[in-house]
Amino acid sequence: MTTKVHVHLFYGADPRFYRPGDNIGCLYGYHHAESDAFALSYSQDARESKPVRLARRALKAAFGFDFIHTWRNRADMLNADVIWTHTEQEWLSAALMLLLSGRKAGANASPLLLAQSVWLLDKWPSYGIVRRWLYRKLMTRADQLTTLASENAALCKRYFDRDAKPLLYGLNTRDFPVKTPTEWKPHSPIRIAAIGNDRDRDWETLIKAFGNDARYTVKLATRRRIPASLRAPNVEIALFSGIKKQHELYDWADVIVVPLRPNTHASGITVMLEAAAVGKPMVVTNVGALQDYFPASEAFYIPPFNPPALRDAVDQLAAAPMDALRQAQAAAAGLLARDLTTEHYAMQHVRITQEMLRARAGVRGRGAQSADAEKTASKAANNAASRQAQAGAAQESRGGL
């Protein structure tokens, strides 16, 4: 029997249009789960006029999820056995759609919902009463919660009293084949690369650590705006978009720096995976359960908001090239040993889905047994009542005699 899975992603991740010509399959690698046992469909982006696009985005900003995009894909979602989502923006809207659609064929007939959260737990304390009530209500329709970091999973238990399964995110090794380095020697000045668009990147600490210091040359790749007050002549700020440009930046760099604000969702893990694959030592802020992926022997971890510690970490690597090389080699080996790939990421979803389906089958089995037991009990009660009535009639007959 084939399990039908619908992968619901954000508007813009339609596999038909995402990186056309590269033939990479689905963003995040969910396509690796496709097999004779698992048939996958994907959310599709509808063409829309500018006014409709603005309206959709305004509604998304108001509610925190893109319900219009979800509603357009409801037919494929309702036809699936299981729905996979990548962030709360997708599963919140999927849950609302499922609740509005109802359970037309019984409590166990509508799709199971695998609900993965990324930023939700970090944002939760800042939400007001109404939004918390809404999200809690929608969470009742989520059959299994998942996260990308153990800290996020712990917060699911704390905030919602729900168990969440932490998954390990993975690297697309077609874009970034793993190459174990054989040598490492820093340039002068030391070349530092920092990449990312996540809301929890701490560019201020990065620039305070290395800006206006001739010993370092920094290339910062981000779409986020950097205040003019942080600009420095030795810090180049640009958008290195596309795999080719990213490889050029990694090739140029001596050290990859991932400066972060405190968070619980493994912010920065994509860059860490890429740095490990290309064989560059990395300095990373020790937040977000990143050591779920790379232990301290494979990355140089520093405390948050500490420019001197960040600068000292880079200096220590430069002063001990063999130690830096061993760290980079260990990271590459660790990536392979823990299979931190998109293939493994997809297979984790397969395993959890199989567990969800077995649990549903168990509930159905218990339900059927309960129904049979009720029928048996009802039949026994009817028989007992019939015998009691017959006995009463016999007593009346005898008394009449």
Side-chain angles (χ1 to χ4, degrees):
M1 180 178 177
T2 301
T3 298
K4 293 183 291 184
V5 175
H6 182 81
V7 183
H8 188 55
L9 300 174
F10 63 88
Y11 189 99
D14 187 331
R16 298 174 302 166
F17 310 127
Y18 183 77
R19 286 177 57 184
D22 287 354
N23 193 30
I24 68 162
C26 173
L27 178 64
Y28 308 123
Y30 291 106
H31 58 281
H32 292 296
E34 293 178 3
S35 67
D36 292 339
F38 276 74
L40 273 60
S41 63
Y42 303 91
S43 52
Q44 297 186 1
D45 299 345
R47 292 185 178 181
E48 55 188 15
S49 63
K50 186 174 181 180
V52 172
R53 182 167 63 253
L54 291 174
R56 178 178 59 80
R57 290 179 175 177
L59 193 65
K60 177 181 176 181
F63 288 96
F65 50 84
D66 192 347
F67 185 67
I68 292 177
H69 175 55
T70 298
W71 190 253
R72 290 167 174 166
N73 285 276
R74 68 189 181 279
D76 285 341
M77 298 172 78
L78 291 172
N79 190 46
D81 298 309
V82 185
I83 298 170
W84 292 352
T85 59
H86 192 71
T87 76
E88 62 276 3
Q89 293 181 9
E90 290 84 55
W91 75 252
L92 286 167
S93 58
L96 178 57
M97 183 277 295
L98 291 171
L99 289 172
L100 291 176
S101 299
R103 299 180 185 269
K104 299 177 182 177
N108 293 321
S110 60
L112 293 165
L113 177 58
L114 194 157
Q116 181 159 281
S117 297
V118 177
W119 303 283
L120 177 67
L121 289 307
D122 281 311
K123 294 180 178 180
W124 188 259
S126 67
Y127 289 152
I129 294 175
V130 174
R131 181 161 294 206
R132 288 193 187 194
W133 174 86
L134 174 61
Y135 287 6
R136 285 183 187 277
K137 179 70 175 177
L138 296 176
M139 189 175 288
T140 63
R141 187 54 189 84
D143 297 283
Q144 176 63 62
L145 305 182
T146 62
T147 70
L148 299 178
S150 58
E151 289 184 14
N152 254 356
L155 288 178
C156 284
K157 189 68 175 178
R158 174 182 168 187
Y159 291 150
F160 315 125
D161 197 26
R162 290 279 302 268
D163 290 327
K165 294 182 182 293
L167 307 180
L168 291 176
Y169 188 55
L171 176 72
N172 181 347
T173 52
R174 278 188 55 188
D175 285 341
F176 288 91
V178 181
K179 300 177 182 178
T180 303
T182 57
E183 60 179 356
W184 185 83
K185 182 179 180 181
H187 293 81
S188 182
I190 301 171
R191 297 178 178 181
I192 297 168
I195 307 170
N197 302 303
D198 189 278
R199 60 194 291 270
D200 288 306
R201 289 295 198 277
D202 181 14
W203 300 134
E204 181 175 354
T205 294
L206 173 80
I207 296 173
K208 285 183 176 179
F210 304 111
N212 299 300
D213 191 325
R215 294 175 298 170
Y216 313 99
T217 299
V218 180
K219 289 189 178 182
L220 195 167
T222 186
R223 287 194 298 267
R224 292 190 173 267
R225 190 181 67 85
I226 306 298
S229 59
L230 291 177
R231 304 280 175 147
N234 66 326
V235 178
E236 178 186 349
I237 301 171
L239 181 59
F240 292 81
S241 60
I243 299 302
K244 182 180 178 180
K245 288 290 186 182
Q246 290 178 35
H247 273 287
E248 290 175 358
L249 179 58
Y250 283 125
D251 290 343
W252 170 86
D254 296 320
V255 180
I256 309 303
V257 173
V258 188
L260 301 161
R261 301 185 183 94
N263 70 87
T264 63
H265 64 269
S267 173
I269 187 55
T270 300
V271 175
M272 291 186 73
L273 291 167
E274 292 170 356
V278 299
K280 294 300 173 78
M282 46 188 159
V283 178
V284 185
T285 310
N286 190 21
V287 295
L290 289 170
Q291 292 199 47
D292 289 354
Y293 295 83
F294 293 98
S297 60
E298 298 173 11
F300 201 130
Y301 287 102
I302 60 166
F305 305 129
N306 195 325
L310 177 53
R311 186 168 51 250
D312 290 346
V314 170
D315 289 346
Q316 286 184 46
L317 291 173
M322 288 306 300
D323 290 342
L325 176 62
R326 280 190 289 268
Q327 183 209 83
Q329 291 172 334
L335 188 159
L336 295 173
R338 290 183 289 278
D339 198 8
L340 300 176
T341 63
T342 51
E343 289 91 338
H344 182 234
Y345 178 65
M347 290 304 105
Q348 291 172 85
H349 282 73
V350 169
R351 175 178 53 79
I352 291 174
T353 298
Q354 291 170 335
E355 293 172 357
M356 294 166 68
L357 292 170
R358 283 195 295 268
R360 168 175 276 187
V363 170
R364 284 176 172 170
R366 290 192 296 273
Q369 291 174 2
S370 177
D372 290 342
E374 286 181 9
K375 289 180 181 178
T376 301
S378 177
K379 185 176 181 180
N382 289 335
N383 290 339
S386 177
R387 288 194 298 271
Q388 187 175 0
Q390 291 172 2
Q395 288 174 357
E396 257 184 69
S397 177
R398 287 193 298 271
L401 286 172

